[in-house]
Amino acid sequence: MANIHVTLPGGKALEVRSGLKIQELASSQGVNSNIIAAKVDGVAVDLDRALSQDCSLNWIPMNSPEGLDILRHSTAHLMAQAVQSLFPGTQVTIGPTIEDGFYYDFKRDKSFTPEEIEKIKSRMRDLAALNLKVIREEMARESAIQLFRRLGEEYKVAILQEIPEEQVSLYRQGDWVDLCRGPHVPSTGVIRAFELTGVAGAYWRGNEENEMLQRIYGTSWATEEALREHLTLLEEAKKRDHRRLGRELDLFSFHPLAPASPFFHPKGAFVYNQLISYMRDLYGRYGYQEVVTPQIFDVELWRRSGHYDHFRENMYFTRVEEREFGVKPMNCPGHTFIYASKKRSYRDLPLRYADFGRLHRFEKSGVTAGLTRVRSFSQDDAHIFCAPDQIGAEMASLLKMLRVVYQTFQFSEMQVRLSTRPEHFLGSLEVWQRAEESLAQSLKSEGIDYQVNPGDGAFYGPKIDFVVLDALRRGWQLATIQLDFSMPERFDLTYVTPAGTEARPVMIHRAILGSIERFMGILIEHCAGALPLWLAPVQVRVMTVTDQQKEYAQSVFEELGAGGWRVELDGRNEKLGYKIREAQVEKIPYAVVIGDREVKDQTISPRRRGGESLKPMAVRELVEVLKAEVVQALGENR
RNA sequence: GCCACCCUAGCUCAGUCGGUAGAGCAACUGAUUCGUAAUCAGUAGGUCGCCGGUUCGAAUCCGGCGGGUGGCUCCA
């Protein structure tokens, strides 16, 4: 038998007989038992694979990202095997891995009850305990189709019929078989630390028109400890869920009679308005002008803007005096009226109209969520009307502003997506190309990494979206920048060029925070409710040790208040520890303690939210500390 | 909108087999004058989401509706 040359990790070369299984090689090399697959010339394969030619070999340990991916995929198989053994007649469809876990979609008339999930889990444990060998098998596509047809697996047949390859691979464990590319763990025994985390309905192939399948979510880890850690992390994430914090910190609430529409309580409203005023300050420096526009327009406007055709499902309508009106879901059409209210010159451009107007969008009942998806909200919205050759400069300025904002809020992790021309589009290819290039160019020159989302642009122009993750790692779009050549056309907007001819301006739709509601929700989670000093509804709480210090505490309270600080006085007859705890739970940035010592020395003892006690100081010294903290956070903004 | 689950005091949650509801925290009252995350005692608080059905009797079983949660689809 011929020999082949295998290069091991670290460069060690080995001559072995052809046909040697990787598993055997591993044993002979004394590689630790923690590996669950290998890479041959960079391609992940099963340990059961036989080596047939010269190659380089790398091990995939269970605890590596690739190893975990394989483990999870195998866990999905284990689950499917358990499900089919418990519930004959249930068909398998697809079962991919996802971040930290996996799911498998089943076709079954009934959905899975919590009790059934328990049964599935314990059957999985039984099957794992049998340590069934996981065997790869290759066969012609046609034979596979016949096999799955015989098994009554219509979905697998459908999948197979769309696979281009003539040769497909199957994986068997015990009497169970699934179509799969692999690789997989060598045997079910290595699957130990898993949990089934949820059930949900999901449409076949993600299409609403298709039948609904039963999806089971799960997670799987290399060790019990890692699994527990993961589950603990999920629990922790729930604690920073903005819906919980919003109630606990008395920021906002909801009422069944106004579903998906937040009520901002005094403290929440303060934060809300503070966010707006932060943006207003920036507007002053970036050449924006704020406008105020109507809430309700004759549907004629929405017909002209295209919303009536493309956005009607998401709009609220009202009929009075035989006239139909639509409540605005966006500000843009209103802004075109201000633009068109007089003759515009190239000298006027760019015009930047900002609008914090309230928007209403009807969202289907199943899609709303806390502050992140609501039916009533406002945006830090603006529309920039400019000449086509001004797009580049506007984008640059916009991206700079965006960076300033996200730096202020310390959002460093976010995905940027450039969405390009969709299938159905307005305008010429040339204009689109230019627009897409200028967006890409702007991102590059600002040094912003981005992904291209081909075909995901708006029908009127390409866009850049900024997506951040919430506490439960769900993505939410905050900022959006869209180039629009269509609205100026529809509203017949023009400006007079230097040559005296009329030209069409371009509209840039943009929001940096996105919706104030969503931004606030994400921000609350981002800082776990501990809002930065400049945003905190209450910045300082002055508290007495006993009521002997009430008078002095009152004067400290007044002095801070007179200086414009948001301060509260806690002069209740409670122990200091109790007051400290309350301030801490309310996440107030500074607690100021006043006891006999402070009265005597005319000082105060501040304590930071994090637990750090500052040394006793004069009120004016604390003010310096506070000021420095605000400047640190906002730079020269304030 | 679709699938599943949940809804008991302001909040977090008990409530067994169907026999008309309970705790902790919060609130209120009183006592306590206290030094950096919870002082003690007492009082009050509920149309068990809403409507209907089954039953001698429903928080509990069944149906409908509303709201919420996790997904899917949508949105972007």
Side-chain angles (χ1 to χ4, degrees), chain A residues 46 70 73-74 77 95-96 104 134-138 148 156 159-160 163 167-172 176-184:
Chain A
D46 300 307
I70 291 166
H73 197 176
S74 296
H77 273 212
Y104 211 117
V134 178
I135 300 155
R136 181 189 173 92
E137 195 174 307
E138 296 197 4
F148 284 107
K156 288 291 174 191
I159 292 166
L160 276 163
I163 289 178
Q167 192 77 358
V168 300
S169 60
L170 309 182
Y171 277 81
R172 284 184 190 278
W176 189 79
V177 64
D178 196 2
L179 170 72
C180 190
R181 188 172 287 134
H184 277 283

PDB file of all heavy atoms in Angstrom, chain A residues 46 70 73-74 77 95-96 104 134-138 148 156 159-160 163 167-172 176-184:
ATOM      1  N   ASP A  46     -14.613  14.866   9.243  1.00  0.00           N
ATOM      2  CA  ASP A  46     -14.810  13.983  10.390  1.00  0.00           C
ATOM      3  C   ASP A  46     -13.508  13.286  10.754  1.00  0.00           C
ATOM      4  O   ASP A  46     -12.647  13.065   9.910  1.00  0.00           O
ATOM      5  CB  ASP A  46     -15.830  12.896  10.030  1.00  0.00           C
ATOM      6  CG  ASP A  46     -17.158  13.485   9.647  1.00  0.00           C
ATOM      7  OD1 ASP A  46     -17.683  14.284  10.433  1.00  0.00           O
ATOM      8  OD2 ASP A  46     -17.662  13.155   8.545  1.00  0.00           O
ATOM      9  N   ILE A  70     -19.442  22.601  15.228  1.00  0.00           N
ATOM     10  CA  ILE A  70     -19.681  21.196  14.879  1.00  0.00           C
ATOM     11  C   ILE A  70     -20.484  20.509  15.987  1.00  0.00           C
ATOM     12  O   ILE A  70     -21.457  19.801  15.723  1.00  0.00           O
ATOM     13  CB  ILE A  70     -18.337  20.473  14.645  1.00  0.00           C
ATOM     14  CG1 ILE A  70     -17.688  21.016  13.371  1.00  0.00           C
ATOM     15  CG2 ILE A  70     -18.536  18.959  14.568  1.00  0.00           C
ATOM     16  CD1 ILE A  70     -16.231  20.650  13.206  1.00  0.00           C
ATOM     17  N   HIS A  73     -24.062  21.575  15.825  1.00  0.00           N
ATOM     18  CA  HIS A  73     -24.744  20.972  14.695  1.00  0.00           C
ATOM     19  C   HIS A  73     -25.081  19.507  15.020  1.00  0.00           C
ATOM     20  O   HIS A  73     -26.179  19.023  14.747  1.00  0.00           O
ATOM     21  CB  HIS A  73     -23.853  21.057  13.454  1.00  0.00           C
ATOM     22  CG  HIS A  73     -24.595  20.833  12.191  1.00  0.00           C
ATOM     23  ND1 HIS A  73     -24.026  20.934  10.959  1.00  0.00           N
ATOM     24  CD2 HIS A  73     -25.881  20.496  11.972  1.00  0.00           C
ATOM     25  CE1 HIS A  73     -24.928  20.663  10.032  1.00  0.00           C
ATOM     26  NE2 HIS A  73     -26.071  20.400  10.620  1.00  0.00           N
ATOM     27  N   SER A  74     -24.132  18.829  15.647  1.00  0.00           N
ATOM     28  CA  SER A  74     -24.373  17.433  16.029  1.00  0.00           C
ATOM     29  C   SER A  74     -25.460  17.351  17.092  1.00  0.00           C
ATOM     30  O   SER A  74     -26.243  16.395  17.127  1.00  0.00           O
ATOM     31  CB  SER A  74     -23.080  16.795  16.548  1.00  0.00           C
ATOM     32  OG  SER A  74     -22.117  16.752  15.515  1.00  0.00           O
ATOM     33  N   HIS A  77     -28.681  17.419  15.434  1.00  0.00           N
ATOM     34  CA  HIS A  77     -29.008  16.089  14.915  1.00  0.00           C
ATOM     35  C   HIS A  77     -29.538  15.177  16.024  1.00  0.00           C
ATOM     36  O   HIS A  77     -30.519  14.472  15.844  1.00  0.00           O
ATOM     37  CB  HIS A  77     -27.755  15.450  14.295  1.00  0.00           C
ATOM     38  CG  HIS A  77     -27.560  15.818  12.860  1.00  0.00           C
ATOM     39  ND1 HIS A  77     -26.980  14.994  11.943  1.00  0.00           N
ATOM     40  CD2 HIS A  77     -27.887  16.949  12.192  1.00  0.00           C
ATOM     41  CE1 HIS A  77     -26.946  15.591  10.756  1.00  0.00           C
ATOM     42  NE2 HIS A  77     -27.485  16.782  10.886  1.00  0.00           N
ATOM     43  N   GLY A  95     -31.721  22.186  10.156  1.00  0.00           N
ATOM     44  CA  GLY A  95     -31.282  22.369  11.541  1.00  0.00           C
ATOM     45  C   GLY A  95     -29.898  22.975  11.625  1.00  0.00           C
ATOM     46  O   GLY A  95     -28.936  22.274  11.895  1.00  0.00           O
ATOM     47  N   PRO A  96     -29.786  24.254  11.387  1.00  0.00           N
ATOM     48  CA  PRO A  96     -28.467  24.885  11.375  1.00  0.00           C
ATOM     49  C   PRO A  96     -28.010  25.329  12.762  1.00  0.00           C
ATOM     50  O   PRO A  96     -28.782  25.294  13.724  1.00  0.00           O
ATOM     51  CB  PRO A  96     -28.695  26.114  10.501  1.00  0.00           C
ATOM     52  CG  PRO A  96     -30.110  26.496  10.785  1.00  0.00           C
ATOM     53  CD  PRO A  96     -30.844  25.201  11.067  1.00  0.00           C
ATOM     54  N   TYR A 104     -33.693  23.386  15.151  1.00  0.00           N
ATOM     55  CA  TYR A 104     -34.102  22.440  14.121  1.00  0.00           C
ATOM     56  C   TYR A 104     -35.582  22.677  13.883  1.00  0.00           C
ATOM     57  O   TYR A 104     -36.346  22.830  14.837  1.00  0.00           O
ATOM     58  CB  TYR A 104     -33.843  20.984  14.563  1.00  0.00           C
ATOM     59  CG  TYR A 104     -33.519  20.066  13.384  1.00  0.00           C
ATOM     60  CD1 TYR A 104     -32.282  19.444  13.286  1.00  0.00           C
ATOM     61  CD2 TYR A 104     -34.449  19.864  12.372  1.00  0.00           C
ATOM     62  CE1 TYR A 104     -31.976  18.625  12.192  1.00  0.00           C
ATOM     63  CE2 TYR A 104     -34.149  19.061  11.283  1.00  0.00           C
ATOM     64  CZ  TYR A 104     -32.909  18.449  11.193  1.00  0.00           C
ATOM     65  OH  TYR A 104     -32.596  17.657  10.113  1.00  0.00           O
ATOM     66  N   VAL A 134     -21.300   8.118  14.885  1.00  0.00           N
ATOM     67  CA  VAL A 134     -21.876   8.964  13.846  1.00  0.00           C
ATOM     68  C   VAL A 134     -21.124   8.655  12.553  1.00  0.00           C
ATOM     69  O   VAL A 134     -19.913   8.862  12.460  1.00  0.00           O
ATOM     70  CB  VAL A 134     -21.738  10.456  14.195  1.00  0.00           C
ATOM     71  CG1 VAL A 134     -22.307  11.319  13.079  1.00  0.00           C
ATOM     72  CG2 VAL A 134     -22.446  10.748  15.515  1.00  0.00           C
ATOM     73  N   ILE A 135     -21.851   8.108  11.595  1.00  0.00           N
ATOM     74  CA  ILE A 135     -21.197   7.593  10.389  1.00  0.00           C
ATOM     75  C   ILE A 135     -21.600   8.379   9.149  1.00  0.00           C
ATOM     76  O   ILE A 135     -22.789   8.572   8.874  1.00  0.00           O
ATOM     77  CB  ILE A 135     -21.568   6.104  10.175  1.00  0.00           C
ATOM     78  CG1 ILE A 135     -21.112   5.307  11.392  1.00  0.00           C
ATOM     79  CG2 ILE A 135     -20.932   5.568   8.900  1.00  0.00           C
ATOM     80  CD1 ILE A 135     -21.903   4.045  11.594  1.00  0.00           C
ATOM     81  N   ARG A 136     -20.562   8.817   8.429  1.00  0.00           N
ATOM     82  CA  ARG A 136     -20.806   9.528   7.184  1.00  0.00           C
ATOM     83  C   ARG A 136     -20.946   8.531   6.042  1.00  0.00           C
ATOM     84  O   ARG A 136     -20.279   7.501   6.017  1.00  0.00           O
ATOM     85  CB  ARG A 136     -19.630  10.452   6.895  1.00  0.00           C
ATOM     86  CG  ARG A 136     -19.780  11.269   5.620  1.00  0.00           C
ATOM     87  CD  ARG A 136     -18.473  11.981   5.324  1.00  0.00           C
ATOM     88  NE  ARG A 136     -18.500  12.657   4.042  1.00  0.00           N
ATOM     89  CZ  ARG A 136     -18.870  13.924   3.895  1.00  0.00           C
ATOM     90  NH1 ARG A 136     -19.194  14.637   4.956  1.00  0.00           N
ATOM     91  NH2 ARG A 136     -18.881  14.479   2.702  1.00  0.00           N
ATOM     92  N   GLU A 137     -21.833   8.867   5.133  1.00  0.00           N
ATOM     93  CA  GLU A 137     -22.098   7.964   4.027  1.00  0.00           C
ATOM     94  C   GLU A 137     -22.323   8.827   2.797  1.00  0.00           C
ATOM     95  O   GLU A 137     -23.032   9.830   2.882  1.00  0.00           O
ATOM     96  CB  GLU A 137     -23.380   7.207   4.364  1.00  0.00           C
ATOM     97  CG  GLU A 137     -23.660   5.985   3.550  1.00  0.00           C
ATOM     98  CD  GLU A 137     -24.881   5.281   4.118  1.00  0.00           C
ATOM     99  OE1 GLU A 137     -24.884   4.992   5.351  1.00  0.00           O
ATOM    100  OE2 GLU A 137     -25.825   5.080   3.359  1.00  0.00           O
ATOM    101  N   GLU A 138     -21.705   8.474   1.691  1.00  0.00           N
ATOM    102  CA  GLU A 138     -21.945   9.271   0.491  1.00  0.00           C
ATOM    103  C   GLU A 138     -22.752   8.469  -0.502  1.00  0.00           C
ATOM    104  O   GLU A 138     -22.604   7.251  -0.592  1.00  0.00           O
ATOM    105  CB  GLU A 138     -20.611   9.712  -0.121  1.00  0.00           C
ATOM    106  CG  GLU A 138     -19.868  10.637   0.819  1.00  0.00           C
ATOM    107  CD  GLU A 138     -18.773  11.435   0.150  1.00  0.00           C
ATOM    108  OE1 GLU A 138     -18.627  11.332  -1.081  1.00  0.00           O
ATOM    109  OE2 GLU A 138     -18.074  12.157   0.867  1.00  0.00           O
ATOM    110  N   PHE A 148     -35.044   9.195   1.074  1.00  0.00           N
ATOM    111  CA  PHE A 148     -35.859  10.088   1.907  1.00  0.00           C
ATOM    112  C   PHE A 148     -37.330  10.031   1.517  1.00  0.00           C
ATOM    113  O   PHE A 148     -38.198  10.228   2.352  1.00  0.00           O
ATOM    114  CB  PHE A 148     -35.313  11.514   1.855  1.00  0.00           C
ATOM    115  CG  PHE A 148     -34.075  11.680   2.699  1.00  0.00           C
ATOM    116  CD1 PHE A 148     -32.821  11.808   2.125  1.00  0.00           C
ATOM    117  CD2 PHE A 148     -34.177  11.664   4.092  1.00  0.00           C
ATOM    118  CE1 PHE A 148     -31.693  11.938   2.912  1.00  0.00           C
ATOM    119  CE2 PHE A 148     -33.046  11.793   4.875  1.00  0.00           C
ATOM    120  CZ  PHE A 148     -31.795  11.928   4.290  1.00  0.00           C
ATOM    121  N   LYS A 156     -36.827  16.935   2.987  1.00  0.00           N
ATOM    122  CA  LYS A 156     -35.468  16.554   2.606  1.00  0.00           C
ATOM    123  C   LYS A 156     -35.420  16.304   1.092  1.00  0.00           C
ATOM    124  O   LYS A 156     -34.449  16.667   0.437  1.00  0.00           O
ATOM    125  CB  LYS A 156     -35.031  15.286   3.354  1.00  0.00           C
ATOM    126  CG  LYS A 156     -34.744  15.519   4.837  1.00  0.00           C
ATOM    127  CD  LYS A 156     -33.491  16.350   5.049  1.00  0.00           C
ATOM    128  CE  LYS A 156     -33.328  16.693   6.531  1.00  0.00           C
ATOM    129  NZ  LYS A 156     -32.284  17.706   6.768  1.00  0.00           N
ATOM    130  N   ILE A 159     -35.274  19.583  -0.565  1.00  0.00           N
ATOM    131  CA  ILE A 159     -33.939  20.176  -0.456  1.00  0.00           C
ATOM    132  C   ILE A 159     -32.994  19.498  -1.442  1.00  0.00           C
ATOM    133  O   ILE A 159     -32.259  20.159  -2.177  1.00  0.00           O
ATOM    134  CB  ILE A 159     -33.391  20.025   0.990  1.00  0.00           C
ATOM    135  CG1 ILE A 159     -34.205  20.891   1.944  1.00  0.00           C
ATOM    136  CG2 ILE A 159     -31.912  20.402   1.042  1.00  0.00           C
ATOM    137  CD1 ILE A 159     -33.992  20.566   3.419  1.00  0.00           C
ATOM    138  N   LEU A 160     -33.054  18.176  -1.467  1.00  0.00           N
ATOM    139  CA  LEU A 160     -32.173  17.413  -2.362  1.00  0.00           C
ATOM    140  C   LEU A 160     -32.388  17.788  -3.823  1.00  0.00           C
ATOM    141  O   LEU A 160     -31.448  17.842  -4.611  1.00  0.00           O
ATOM    142  CB  LEU A 160     -32.425  15.906  -2.179  1.00  0.00           C
ATOM    143  CG  LEU A 160     -31.658  15.265  -1.027  1.00  0.00           C
ATOM    144  CD1 LEU A 160     -32.266  13.917  -0.673  1.00  0.00           C
ATOM    145  CD2 LEU A 160     -30.184  15.107  -1.390  1.00  0.00           C
ATOM    146  N   ILE A 163     -30.277  20.671  -4.706  1.00  0.00           N
ATOM    147  CA  ILE A 163     -28.824  20.605  -4.577  1.00  0.00           C
ATOM    148  C   ILE A 163     -28.205  20.335  -5.944  1.00  0.00           C
ATOM    149  O   ILE A 163     -28.649  19.419  -6.641  1.00  0.00           O
ATOM    150  CB  ILE A 163     -28.425  19.476  -3.589  1.00  0.00           C
ATOM    151  CG1 ILE A 163     -28.808  19.896  -2.173  1.00  0.00           C
ATOM    152  CG2 ILE A 163     -26.930  19.177  -3.665  1.00  0.00           C
ATOM    153  CD1 ILE A 163     -28.501  18.846  -1.119  1.00  0.00           C
ATOM    154  N   GLN A 167     -23.370  14.087  -5.977  1.00  0.00           N
ATOM    155  CA  GLN A 167     -23.013  13.224  -4.868  1.00  0.00           C
ATOM    156  C   GLN A 167     -23.349  13.967  -3.571  1.00  0.00           C
ATOM    157  O   GLN A 167     -22.970  15.126  -3.408  1.00  0.00           O
ATOM    158  CB  GLN A 167     -21.501  12.937  -4.941  1.00  0.00           C
ATOM    159  CG  GLN A 167     -21.023  11.834  -4.045  1.00  0.00           C
ATOM    160  CD  GLN A 167     -21.369  10.442  -4.602  1.00  0.00           C
ATOM    161  OE1 GLN A 167     -22.004  10.316  -5.639  1.00  0.00           O
ATOM    162  NE2 GLN A 167     -20.967   9.415  -3.886  1.00  0.00           N
ATOM    163  N   VAL A 168     -24.089  13.345  -2.661  1.00  0.00           N
ATOM    164  CA  VAL A 168     -24.439  14.011  -1.406  1.00  0.00           C
ATOM    165  C   VAL A 168     -23.985  13.151  -0.230  1.00  0.00           C
ATOM    166  O   VAL A 168     -23.705  11.967  -0.403  1.00  0.00           O
ATOM    167  CB  VAL A 168     -25.953  14.283  -1.292  1.00  0.00           C
ATOM    168  CG1 VAL A 168     -26.428  15.185  -2.419  1.00  0.00           C
ATOM    169  CG2 VAL A 168     -26.727  12.974  -1.275  1.00  0.00           C
ATOM    170  N   SER A 169     -23.929  13.755   0.934  1.00  0.00           N
ATOM    171  CA  SER A 169     -23.521  12.976   2.107  1.00  0.00           C
ATOM    172  C   SER A 169     -24.664  12.872   3.109  1.00  0.00           C
ATOM    173  O   SER A 169     -25.470  13.786   3.269  1.00  0.00           O
ATOM    174  CB  SER A 169     -22.286  13.604   2.762  1.00  0.00           C
ATOM    175  OG  SER A 169     -22.570  14.922   3.167  1.00  0.00           O
ATOM    176  N   LEU A 170     -24.723  11.724   3.759  1.00  0.00           N
ATOM    177  CA  LEU A 170     -25.715  11.486   4.805  1.00  0.00           C
ATOM    178  C   LEU A 170     -24.964  11.172   6.092  1.00  0.00           C
ATOM    179  O   LEU A 170     -23.813  10.725   6.056  1.00  0.00           O
ATOM    180  CB  LEU A 170     -26.587  10.280   4.464  1.00  0.00           C
ATOM    181  CG  LEU A 170     -27.247  10.229   3.097  1.00  0.00           C
ATOM    182  CD1 LEU A 170     -28.096   8.970   3.002  1.00  0.00           C
ATOM    183  CD2 LEU A 170     -28.100  11.452   2.879  1.00  0.00           C
ATOM    184  N   TYR A 171     -25.610  11.354   7.194  1.00  0.00           N
ATOM    185  CA  TYR A 171     -25.017  10.969   8.462  1.00  0.00           C
ATOM    186  C   TYR A 171     -25.975  10.053   9.190  1.00  0.00           C
ATOM    187  O   TYR A 171     -27.164  10.349   9.303  1.00  0.00           O
ATOM    188  CB  TYR A 171     -24.686  12.211   9.303  1.00  0.00           C
ATOM    189  CG  TYR A 171     -23.359  12.832   8.907  1.00  0.00           C
ATOM    190  CD1 TYR A 171     -23.267  13.674   7.805  1.00  0.00           C
ATOM    191  CD2 TYR A 171     -22.207  12.536   9.609  1.00  0.00           C
ATOM    192  CE1 TYR A 171     -22.049  14.222   7.420  1.00  0.00           C
ATOM    193  CE2 TYR A 171     -20.985  13.077   9.241  1.00  0.00           C
ATOM    194  CZ  TYR A 171     -20.908  13.914   8.145  1.00  0.00           C
ATOM    195  OH  TYR A 171     -19.700  14.438   7.783  1.00  0.00           O
ATOM    196  N   ARG A 172     -25.417   8.938   9.664  1.00  0.00           N
ATOM    197  CA  ARG A 172     -26.228   7.983  10.404  1.00  0.00           C
ATOM    198  C   ARG A 172     -25.759   7.913  11.846  1.00  0.00           C
ATOM    199  O   ARG A 172     -24.567   7.955  12.131  1.00  0.00           O
ATOM    200  CB  ARG A 172     -26.060   6.575   9.826  1.00  0.00           C
ATOM    201  CG  ARG A 172     -26.788   6.338   8.546  1.00  0.00           C
ATOM    202  CD  ARG A 172     -26.638   4.872   8.119  1.00  0.00           C
ATOM    203  NE  ARG A 172     -27.145   4.700   6.762  1.00  0.00           N
ATOM    204  CZ  ARG A 172     -28.448   4.535   6.498  1.00  0.00           C
ATOM    205  NH1 ARG A 172     -29.334   4.471   7.464  1.00  0.00           N
ATOM    206  NH2 ARG A 172     -28.841   4.419   5.244  1.00  0.00           N
ATOM    207  N   TRP A 176     -30.988   6.190  12.839  1.00  0.00           N
ATOM    208  CA  TRP A 176     -31.465   7.492  12.358  1.00  0.00           C
ATOM    209  C   TRP A 176     -30.521   8.045  11.299  1.00  0.00           C
ATOM    210  O   TRP A 176     -29.298   7.895  11.411  1.00  0.00           O
ATOM    211  CB  TRP A 176     -31.564   8.450  13.548  1.00  0.00           C
ATOM    212  CG  TRP A 176     -32.232   9.741  13.218  1.00  0.00           C
ATOM    213  CD1 TRP A 176     -33.555   9.980  13.104  1.00  0.00           C
ATOM    214  CD2 TRP A 176     -31.576  10.995  12.965  1.00  0.00           C
ATOM    215  NE1 TRP A 176     -33.796  11.288  12.796  1.00  0.00           N
ATOM    216  CE2 TRP A 176     -32.583  11.939  12.707  1.00  0.00           C
ATOM    217  CE3 TRP A 176     -30.241  11.398  12.926  1.00  0.00           C
ATOM    218  CZ2 TRP A 176     -32.309  13.265  12.423  1.00  0.00           C
ATOM    219  CZ3 TRP A 176     -29.966  12.726  12.640  1.00  0.00           C
ATOM    220  CH2 TRP A 176     -30.986  13.650  12.386  1.00  0.00           C
ATOM    221  N   VAL A 177     -31.087   8.689  10.297  1.00  0.00           N
ATOM    222  CA  VAL A 177     -30.244   9.211   9.226  1.00  0.00           C
ATOM    223  C   VAL A 177     -30.707  10.605   8.823  1.00  0.00           C
ATOM    224  O   VAL A 177     -31.894  10.918   8.861  1.00  0.00           O
ATOM    225  CB  VAL A 177     -30.264   8.265   8.003  1.00  0.00           C
ATOM    226  CG1 VAL A 177     -31.653   8.172   7.400  1.00  0.00           C
ATOM    227  CG2 VAL A 177     -29.239   8.701   6.957  1.00  0.00           C
ATOM    228  N   ASP A 178     -29.749  11.474   8.486  1.00  0.00           N
ATOM    229  CA  ASP A 178     -30.100  12.815   8.037  1.00  0.00           C
ATOM    230  C   ASP A 178     -29.179  13.222   6.898  1.00  0.00           C
ATOM    231  O   ASP A 178     -28.017  12.827   6.849  1.00  0.00           O
ATOM    232  CB  ASP A 178     -29.959  13.821   9.190  1.00  0.00           C
ATOM    233  CG  ASP A 178     -30.674  15.134   8.882  1.00  0.00           C
ATOM    234  OD1 ASP A 178     -31.303  15.250   7.814  1.00  0.00           O
ATOM    235  OD2 ASP A 178     -30.605  16.040   9.730  1.00  0.00           O
ATOM    236  N   LEU A 179     -29.733  13.988   6.005  1.00  0.00           N
ATOM    237  CA  LEU A 179     -28.949  14.580   4.933  1.00  0.00           C
ATOM    238  C   LEU A 179     -28.113  15.699   5.545  1.00  0.00           C
ATOM    239  O   LEU A 179     -28.645  16.557   6.241  1.00  0.00           O
ATOM    240  CB  LEU A 179     -29.886  15.174   3.882  1.00  0.00           C
ATOM    241  CG  LEU A 179     -29.243  16.035   2.802  1.00  0.00           C
ATOM    242  CD1 LEU A 179     -28.450  15.184   1.842  1.00  0.00           C
ATOM    243  CD2 LEU A 179     -30.305  16.832   2.067  1.00  0.00           C
ATOM    244  N   CYS A 180     -26.810  15.658   5.324  1.00  0.00           N
ATOM    245  CA  CYS A 180     -25.992  16.688   5.949  1.00  0.00           C
ATOM    246  C   CYS A 180     -24.616  16.754   5.322  1.00  0.00           C
ATOM    247  O   CYS A 180     -24.051  15.747   4.925  1.00  0.00           O
ATOM    248  CB  CYS A 180     -25.840  16.404   7.440  1.00  0.00           C
ATOM    249  SG  CYS A 180     -25.091  17.763   8.322  1.00  0.00           S
ATOM    250  N   ARG A 181     -24.084  17.949   5.264  1.00  0.00           N
ATOM    251  CA  ARG A 181     -22.769  18.146   4.699  1.00  0.00           C
ATOM    252  C   ARG A 181     -21.689  17.764   5.718  1.00  0.00           C
ATOM    253  O   ARG A 181     -20.615  17.329   5.362  1.00  0.00           O
ATOM    254  CB  ARG A 181     -22.622  19.618   4.284  1.00  0.00           C
ATOM    255  CG  ARG A 181     -21.364  19.913   3.499  1.00  0.00           C
ATOM    256  CD  ARG A 181     -21.406  21.334   2.973  1.00  0.00           C
ATOM    257  NE  ARG A 181     -22.368  21.462   1.873  1.00  0.00           N
ATOM    258  CZ  ARG A 181     -23.263  22.434   1.758  1.00  0.00           C
ATOM    259  NH1 ARG A 181     -23.353  23.348   2.699  1.00  0.00           N
ATOM    260  NH2 ARG A 181     -24.076  22.483   0.732  1.00  0.00           N
ATOM    261  N   GLY A 182     -21.997  17.935   6.994  1.00  0.00           N
ATOM    262  CA  GLY A 182     -21.032  17.627   8.042  1.00  0.00           C
ATOM    263  C   GLY A 182     -20.003  18.739   8.167  1.00  0.00           C
ATOM    264  O   GLY A 182     -20.214  19.819   7.617  1.00  0.00           O
ATOM    265  N   PRO A 183     -18.930  18.518   8.892  1.00  0.00           N
ATOM    266  CA  PRO A 183     -18.639  17.298   9.639  1.00  0.00           C
ATOM    267  C   PRO A 183     -19.405  17.228  10.964  1.00  0.00           C
ATOM    268  O   PRO A 183     -20.081  18.176  11.335  1.00  0.00           O
ATOM    269  CB  PRO A 183     -17.137  17.414   9.901  1.00  0.00           C
ATOM    270  CG  PRO A 183     -16.883  18.883   9.949  1.00  0.00           C
ATOM    271  CD  PRO A 183     -17.868  19.508   9.001  1.00  0.00           C
ATOM    272  N   HIS A 184     -19.283  16.076  11.607  1.00  0.00           N
ATOM    273  CA  HIS A 184     -19.959  15.872  12.878  1.00  0.00           C
ATOM    274  C   HIS A 184     -19.007  15.292  13.910  1.00  0.00           C
ATOM    275  O   HIS A 184     -17.898  14.868  13.574  1.00  0.00           O
ATOM    276  CB  HIS A 184     -21.157  14.934  12.683  1.00  0.00           C
ATOM    277  CG  HIS A 184     -22.365  15.669  12.188  1.00  0.00           C
ATOM    278  ND1 HIS A 184     -23.131  16.436  13.016  1.00  0.00           N
ATOM    279  CD2 HIS A 184     -22.892  15.787  10.955  1.00  0.00           C
ATOM    280  CE1 HIS A 184     -24.107  16.981  12.305  1.00  0.00           C
ATOM    281  NE2 HIS A 184     -23.979  16.616  11.044  1.00  0.00           N
TER     282      HIS A 184
END
